[in-house]
Amino acid sequence: MNVTSASDRLKKVMRIALVGIKPGDQVMLKGYLRLLLRLEADLEWVSANNQQIDLFMVNHDLRHAESVQNLISSKPNTATIYTARSETENGYLLQDLLVLPIKDLAPLSEWLFSQLPFLSGVPISNKASTAAKLTADAVDAYQSATDNTLTLALSL
């Protein structure tokens, strides 16, 4: 009988700091990460000044700002991805630039698992099955739901 310890069953906590990202894009990014990492990590949204950060998500327009560069250089072992918005609604991931919105989450999943050290211990089969479950229909449904929620919240 294979017995797993309590520590093996506990999800890791991933601390994410969003810097300069518009509220609508924050909702979208949080949804993407929840879909991709729901089995591997509990997500915690923290201030950019937090002592423990696993991932910075930074607005691409602020990439060269001195304050952002100081923040990132103060945590050299923290992964950083920059976000931008597409005028054509066709998003993509190129190196460390994530252009929103994206339909295929597999490249983002691969980036996360390759850039975040605590995810490197996750078996390959888990990564593949997570990416396989993310279809364009699921992403579209999520985006539609969050767009409706955001519209409703703004109208109140």
Side-chain angles (χ1 to χ4, degrees):
M1 182 173 165
N2 187 3
V3 178
T4 57
S5 69
S7 64
D8 290 340
R9 288 178 295 190
L10 290 177
K11 288 184 187 178
K12 297 174 182 175
V13 175
M14 180 174 157
R15 291 171 186 84
I16 306 146
L18 302 172
V19 180
I21 298 176
K22 296 176 185 176
D25 290 346
Q26 287 183 20
V27 170
M28 189 180 302
L29 290 167
K30 288 177 179 183
Y32 291 160
L33 293 177
R34 284 185 186 114
L35 283 170
L36 290 170
L37 301 173
R38 68 187 176 279
L39 300 176
E40 286 79 20
D42 285 327
L43 305 180
E44 185 176 321
W45 310 100
V46 298
S47 161
N49 295 322
N50 192 298
Q51 293 300 314
Q52 291 185 300
I53 298 175
D54 299 300
L55 175 63
F56 281 115
M57 298 188 95
V58 180
N59 183 318
H60 180 65
D61 294 337
L62 303 176
R63 181 179 202 127
H64 300 293
E66 185 177 343
S67 59
V68 170
Q69 288 304 308
N70 290 341
L71 183 66
I72 292 170
S73 64
S74 72
K75 295 178 178 33
N77 296 325
T78 301
T80 303
I81 193 165
Y82 298 92
T83 65
R85 239 334 166 151
S86 170
E87 297 295 324
T88 64
E89 297 294 321
N90 293 324
Y92 57 90
L93 176 65
L94 180 63
Q95 296 176 343
D96 64 352
L97 176 63
L98 176 63
V99 178
L100 301 172
I102 56 175
K103 301 261 185 227
D104 180 8
L105 294 179
L108 178 57
S109 178
E110 290 172 20
W111 187 93
L112 291 167
F113 282 92
S114 69
Q115 298 297 315
L116 297 168
F118 76 85
L119 290 176
S120 64
V122 176
I124 299 284
S125 61
N126 285 7
K127 295 178 200 175
S129 66
T130 299
K133 291 177 186 172
L134 301 170
T135 64
D137 292 340
V139 173
D140 286 341
Y142 179 80
Q143 286 175 336
S144 175
T146 55
D147 288 347
N148 292 340
T149 302
L150 185 58
T151 301
L152 206 123
L154 292 174
S155 68
L156 293 177

